[in-house]
Amino acid sequence: MTKLFATKQLIPFNVIGDPNPAATVANVLAQAQAGAQLIELGLPFSDPVADGPAVKAANQRALRGQLTVAQALATVAAIRAQSDVALVLVTYVNIPFVYGFDAFAARVAALDITGIIVPDLPHEEAAEFRDSLARHGVDLLTIVGPASPKRIATVVAPARGFLTVSPALPQPVLEPEIAAIRAASDLPIVVNLPTADTATIQALAPLVEGIQLTETFVSGAAVDPVELARPVTKLRQAFQAS
């Protein structure tokens, strides 16, 4: 996965099943067509404590549609049948825990999922799931929050793939955090942003290898997929040119 970051990556985030599975498939395919090389997909969960109001609402919309985990993974399979774009799955830990860590790892590996992000999995409790994923060739991707340099070094030590910085702090505070990460790891760094304009993208470009757009694609509206994906091309070009 790290090889993807030889060029800067603008990463769309989508909640599976918002507004419905067919729309998710169409939207992701349009984002890939617009130039996204890495896309994150959220498995809907009833209590997404690490997410903001827009993503929580997207989770609720998907669940109101009676989307099951099996249906969500079938949606990923439908995407994979039509595209080889790199996919990362975002899930709260209850889902793989109930599914069974090894069974879940085997299932996502069969879907050619590149990595898994688990926002509510503490670093100290991640080893079992990380090992299950590793046995199936899938990376458990690490989230790095505001912390001391010593704590950051501890958190990133077992990391693979890339590092996600969340929440995105104001830039004067973000820069020292990224410096501490760079001192402890040579993995690519991705910053999660709720939304972004060209100026924000260009300001962050010298600091990081990737920007994930957390809320840009989770409106829940039945929008034409090509129109919804249009920001991908514009912002990706701005990011890579800076």
Side-chain angles (χ1 to χ4, degrees), residues 77-162:
I79 294 167
R80 180 53 74 224
Q82 300 175 70
S83 175
D84 61 359
V85 66
L87 298 174
V88 164
L89 204 61
V90 182
T91 179
Y92 284 82
V93 71
N94 299 55
I95 295 174
F97 177 76
V98 172
Y99 201 102
F101 284 158
D102 198 65
F104 188 86
R107 180 71 179 108
V108 299
L111 294 170
D112 196 21
I113 297 293
T114 304
I116 304 288
I117 296 174
V118 188
D120 63 338
L121 181 60
H123 167 72
E124 287 76 12
E125 299 174 19
E128 182 181 357
F129 191 33
R130 181 185 297 112
D131 291 347
S132 292
L133 290 169
R135 283 194 294 272
H136 294 277
V138 181
D139 291 338
L140 179 63
L141 302 169
T142 298
I143 296 175
V144 186
S148 69
K150 182 178 179 180
R151 175 62 179 171
I152 286 173
T154 298
V155 168
V156 305
R160 299 178 60 182
F162 64 84

Side-chain angles (χ1 to χ4, degrees), residues 13-27:
F13 172 79
N14 304 263
V15 174
I16 300 170
D18 176 40
N20 57 66
T24 299
V25 174
N27 290 341

Side-chain angles (χ1 to χ4, degrees), residues 16-107:
I16 300 170
D18 176 40
N20 57 66
T24 299
V25 174
N27 290 341
V28 170
L29 294 177
Q31 291 159 17
Q33 186 66 33
Q37 296 177 304
L38 174 61
I39 297 173
E40 294 187 8
L41 300 172
L43 273 178
F45 185 63
S46 58
D47 187 22
V49 293
D51 291 304
V55 176
K56 286 182 179 178
N59 278 262
Q60 291 164 0
R61 287 191 296 268
L63 293 174
R64 282 199 298 270
Q66 305 299 310
L67 188 79
T68 65
V69 173
Q71 290 167 340
L73 295 176
T75 303
V76 178
I79 294 167
R80 180 53 74 224
Q82 300 175 70
S83 175
D84 61 359
V85 66
L87 298 174
V88 164
L89 204 61
V90 182
T91 179
Y92 284 82
V93 71
N94 299 55
I95 295 174
F97 177 76
V98 172
Y99 201 102
F101 284 158
D102 198 65
F104 188 86
R107 180 71 179 108

Side-chain angles (χ1 to χ4, degrees), residues 202-213:
Q202 291 173 331
L204 287 172
L207 301 177
V208 298
E209 287 74 40
I211 291 176
Q212 185 252 46
L213 299 180

